[in-house]
Amino acid sequence: MNKALVILYPGFSLYEINCLTSYLTINLYDDDAWKIDTVSSTLEPVTSEDHFSVNPNKVFDEIDILDYRLIILPGIIDYTKIIDDEKIISFIKKLNVTPRPLIASISSSPILLAKGGILKDVKFTAGLYEETLESYPYLSKQQLTRTPVHYDKEHQIITAIGFAFREFAIEVLRALDYKVKDTLFSGTLIKKYSKEDLTYRMQ
């Protein structure tokens, strides 16, 4: 079974990763569905940016990075609250292995990868203010692509700005060899539905 790991930290964004995680679990048939673990420094509930409490099922010390095919870093509503959290940064440093899982990081979370030394020589994008880029020496404007989504295939890292959460999910799924269309998460208004289309049966 394929496995993904979602790193949880205070103020993480659920909606920025839900297209991706729901596809890997709900949209696939049972035999193909992924197992998703959530990890944090303790097993205490972690509160998302929209005040949902999520219980991680693993702690950092339990994780073998190579057990996973995908590592997901959600965005963070206020990265300053965790950028100096040594437990989180120490764990992220463990991602610097070869070969390593695909890393998918959205919104402001690439700053954690940068502090952990994972973005060295990596092209990336992020939802960060210019002042932030100028304030942290481990963030390089020269490496910033300023695109909604960027896939650095050589380093197996996909990054995205938060508003591109749909495109982020699609890019990650394609990197995992799923043949998905650009319209996968485009919503219901692009198609006209008949009443029969919206009638559901058990069989």
Side-chain angles (χ1 to χ4, degrees):
M1 173 182 285
N2 286 312
K3 294 173 65 179
L5 183 69
V6 177
I7 304 175
L8 299 180
Y9 21 72
F12 74 96
S13 174
L14 274 173
Y15 85 89
E16 289 175 349
I17 65 168
N18 272 348
C19 285
L20 175 58
T21 56
S22 65
Y23 185 94
L24 293 175
T25 54
I26 299 169
N27 288 45
L28 299 175
Y29 292 110
D30 289 346
D31 291 344
D32 296 321
W34 287 51
K35 174 176 171 51
I36 295 184
D37 285 326
T38 50
V39 66
S40 191
S41 53
T42 74
L43 293 178
E44 293 296 313
V46 182
T47 304
S48 71
E49 65 181 2
D50 45 359
H51 306 292
F52 282 84
S53 290
V54 178
N55 295 321
N57 67 316
K58 300 278 186 182
V59 295
F60 293 138
D61 291 343
E62 294 181 83
I63 299 298
D64 181 346
I65 295 298
L66 298 181
D67 285 343
Y68 297 89
R69 191 175 169 197
L70 173 64
I71 309 293
I72 303 171
L73 286 82
I76 320 156
I77 194 164
D78 184 358
Y79 64 85
T80 64
K81 293 182 178 179
I82 62 169
I83 192 67
D84 295 319
D85 187 318
E86 284 304 317
K87 289 184 179 179
I88 293 173
I89 301 304
S90 294
F91 179 74
I92 286 173
K93 287 179 179 178
K94 294 180 181 180
L95 298 177
N96 198 17
V97 294
T98 304
R100 69 176 167 212
L102 179 66
I103 297 172
S105 176
I106 189 167
S107 189
S108 57
S109 67
I111 196 171
L112 301 178
L113 295 177
K115 184 163 187 182
I118 308 302
L119 292 187
K120 184 179 180 182
D121 300 322
V122 174
K123 293 288 187 182
F124 71 97
T125 191
L128 296 169
Y129 293 115
E130 289 299 298
E131 292 81 0
T132 299
L133 296 167
E134 293 162 359
S135 299
Y136 293 89
Y138 40 79
L139 288 168
S140 169
K141 284 190 179 183
Q142 287 69 41
Q143 292 164 225
L144 188 68
T145 63
R146 300 188 190 278
T147 55
V149 182
H150 184 76
Y151 181 16
D152 188 313
K153 293 184 181 180
E154 179 184 353
H155 298 94
Q156 284 296 285
I157 297 176
I158 296 175
T159 50
I161 299 175
F163 74 82
F165 60 94
R166 297 176 184 88
E167 293 81 2
F168 171 70
I170 289 169
E171 191 72 29
V172 174
L173 292 171
R174 287 175 175 166
L176 296 171
D177 299 320
Y178 291 100
K179 309 300 182 187
V180 295
K181 297 180 179 179
D182 289 342
T183 55
L184 178 62
F185 301 111
S186 58
T188 61
L189 298 181
I190 62 171
K191 177 182 175 181
K192 297 293 185 182
Y193 289 91
S194 68
K195 289 183 179 180
E196 181 59 29
D197 289 333
L198 300 178
T199 302
Y200 303 100
R201 297 179 175 85
M202 295 288 292
Q203 302 263 340

